Amino acid sequence: MPPPAADLERLKAELTAEIAAAGDADAIEKIRVAALGRKGTVTELMKTLGALSPDERRVRGALLNALKDEIAALLEARSAGLADRALDARLASESVDVTLPPRPERIGRIHPVSQTMDEVIAILGDIGFAVAEGPDIEDDWYNFTALNIPPDHPARQEHDTFYLPGERESPGGRARMVLRTHTSPVQIRTMMRAKPPLRIIVPGRTYRCDSDATHSPMFHQVEGLAIDETTHMGHLKGCLIEFCRAYFGIEDLPVRFRASYFPFTEPSAEVDIGCTRVGGEFRIGHGDDWLEILGCGMVNPRVLKNCGIDPARYQGFAFGLGLERIAMLKYGIPDLRTFYESDLRWLRHYGFAALAQPGLTGGLNP
Ligand code: DAH
């Protein structure tokens, strides 16, 4: 290595200090131009090499080239350091603290139908049922025929059911279009699509030509279906007793199964819960009275056969309940029509806070 030249050492010390003090990309660029640019200090020194003897030129030329490379490297490093610092500052200022608790929304309310639906899904989901859906516009094969409802059944008559103009091709041939009168057709759709074991619940809208304080032309039901090789009436009873007690939050709520009839189940039952009648109102719990809340039964073998499931191998149970009805009973809402009047005062009174999501761990209604 040639001996260092004092003037170059001084220049290097100056530039190094300047680079270290540069606070941003502009300052770095200014130093680069002043040192290495066309008229920069280092470049100007290069130009003086021509006047030297060949020996001197070799020594000084090597020193100048080394200086040029060192300054370029220092500029580069400082510039990268500044970019990192700028990124760190941005990350710090733009960071989001995901550990912050959510701020409850004070304005909107959850409608009692949505809340009740979530409660039912939380309870039955915990028992092992998955949510299934089907279309609101059905045809009479899915809605009636496949469910073993005979052609002359009153539910099929014009004045109870919203028929739509037109027919379509259905698994049982041409079928009239209809707004589903219950969620039971989703039993058929599920069994035709998938093989047992099946465990589904179907919350959804249903439609009937009916309107008074306890009937609305559009209302909601939840259907349940469990099919397996050994599913029996004991499972049906255990499951629905558990559901009624969890939903009403009464551990020893009396639950009664009363023999009944549905074309799609055999045997069939209606489920009553214990209550007391005080004036015109019900108080759910122990008492000397009973209140019907849902229908159920063992799936009729004919229904299984209609869906291509072998009734000699599979059996199971089904149930159906009205969502508004159980909401009215639990929350003391006297008139069904008010559910659909969109009256904000009603919603503020009967509605639920946005974050009051039902769950079995936090309680159904925190
Ligand atoms: N679909 C019936 C109705 O709308 C309710 C029902 C009763 C559904 C018994 C069922 C059942 O699955 O097994 O009134």
Side-chain angles (χ1 to χ4, degrees):
M1 273 295 278
D7 62 332
L8 297 190
E9 283 299 304
R10 209 178 316 119
L11 180 58
K12 183 176 149 187
E14 269 171 38
L15 288 172
T16 304
E18 275 178 44
I19 292 168
D24 56 31
D26 278 354
I28 298 277
E29 181 58 12
K30 268 197 200 114
I31 300 169
R32 196 191 61 76
V33 171
L36 309 179
R38 255 185 328 123
K39 294 216 156 77
T41 42
V42 179
T43 315
E44 291 295 336
L45 287 169
M46 292 280 200
K47 289 180 190 162
T48 64
L49 289 175
L52 302 177
S53 71
D55 276 355
E56 284 173 323
R57 194 186 307 148
R58 201 166 22 80
V59 172
R60 184 134 172 112
L63 285 173
L64 270 172
N65 269 326
L67 173 66
K68 197 176 118 196
D69 289 348
E70 274 175 87
I71 298 303
L74 284 173
L75 286 165
E76 176 83 36
R78 179 71 184 148
S79 162
L82 284 174
D84 278 356
R85 243 180 36 197
L87 183 61
D88 285 347
R90 224 182 102 197
L91 287 176
S93 72
E94 292 178 6
S95 74
V96 176
D97 183 354
V98 292
T99 65
L100 270 181
R103 284 177 267 294
E105 178 54 70
R106 272 171 294 125
I107 295 171
R109 306 294 284 175
I110 303 290
H111 195 281
V113 166
S114 306
Q115 183 77 12
T116 304
M117 198 180 278
D118 287 347
E119 290 174 16
V120 171
I121 293 171
I123 298 166
L124 293 171
D126 186 60
I127 295 177
F129 289 89
V131 173
E133 284 182 313
D136 290 18
I137 297 175
E138 269 297 359
D139 64 52
D140 64 3
W141 188 81
Y142 283 105
N143 195 80
F144 298 122
T145 314
L147 286 160
N148 194 39
I149 300 176
D152 55 351
H153 194 277
R156 295 186 100 151
Q157 278 161 26
E158 299 280 344
H159 66 267
D160 284 332
T161 301
F162 292 110
Y163 283 96
L164 302 171
E167 291 184 349
R168 70 179 177 200
E169 220 34 69
S170 206
R174 305 239 4 122
R176 292 178 74 185
M177 312 270 274
V178 59
L179 287 181
R180 68 179 179 191
T181 60
H182 49 181
T183 42
S184 305
V186 187
Q187 288 190 30
I188 305 300
R189 291 185 175 274
T190 304
M191 289 191 280
M192 293 190 67
R193 196 174 41 221
K195 289 281 146 254
L198 298 170
R199 274 197 205 106
I200 54 139
I201 46 171
V202 185
R205 276 187 285 274
T206 48
Y207 306 84
R208 285 180 204 174
C209 238
D210 228 347
S211 188
D212 59 41
T214 53
H215 297 90
S216 151
M218 188 283 298
F219 60 106
H220 296 76
Q221 288 191 336
V222 179
E223 192 80 13
L225 176 73
I227 305 284
D228 209 334
E229 291 188 25
T230 55
T231 304
H232 55 68
M233 191 94 186
H235 297 126
L236 158 71
K237 291 182 77 176
C239 176
L240 293 177
I241 291 171
E242 171 71 22
F243 168 76
C244 292
R245 292 181 173 167
Y247 175 73
F248 288 103
I250 303 173
E251 238 171 79
D252 56 352
L253 177 68
V255 179
R256 174 174 88 170
F257 290 77
R258 182 168 37 80
S260 183
Y261 173 77
F262 299 103
F264 30 90
T265 45
E266 180 59 35
S268 305
E270 260 152 328
V271 175
D272 300 336
I273 53 173
C275 73
T276 334
R277 259 169 243 253
V278 190
E281 283 184 26
F282 298 108
R283 201 158 296 156
I284 309 286
H286 292 270
D288 49 9
D289 221 329
W290 295 96
L291 196 63
E292 178 200 320
I293 66 155
L294 61 90
C296 62
M298 298 305 293
V299 176
N300 192 316
R302 290 192 192 185
V303 174
L304 296 174
K305 216 184 286 169
N306 289 341
C307 301
I309 290 180
D310 179 7
R313 177 166 176 204
Y314 293 108
Q315 55 185 25
F317 65 85
F319 57 91
L321 58 87
L323 212 59
E324 286 85 348
R325 179 167 168 75
I326 63 168
M328 289 166 79
L329 290 172
K330 181 168 174 178
Y331 297 116
I333 307 173
D335 190 330
L336 175 65
R337 288 168 294 203
T338 56
F339 277 72
Y340 306 109
E341 282 171 354
S342 303
D343 184 333
L344 279 178
R345 293 164 305 174
W346 183 89
L347 194 56
R348 267 183 218 119
H349 181 73
Y350 288 113
F352 295 81
L355 290 168
Q357 283 150 352
L360 293 178
T361 43
L364 279 183
N365 294 301

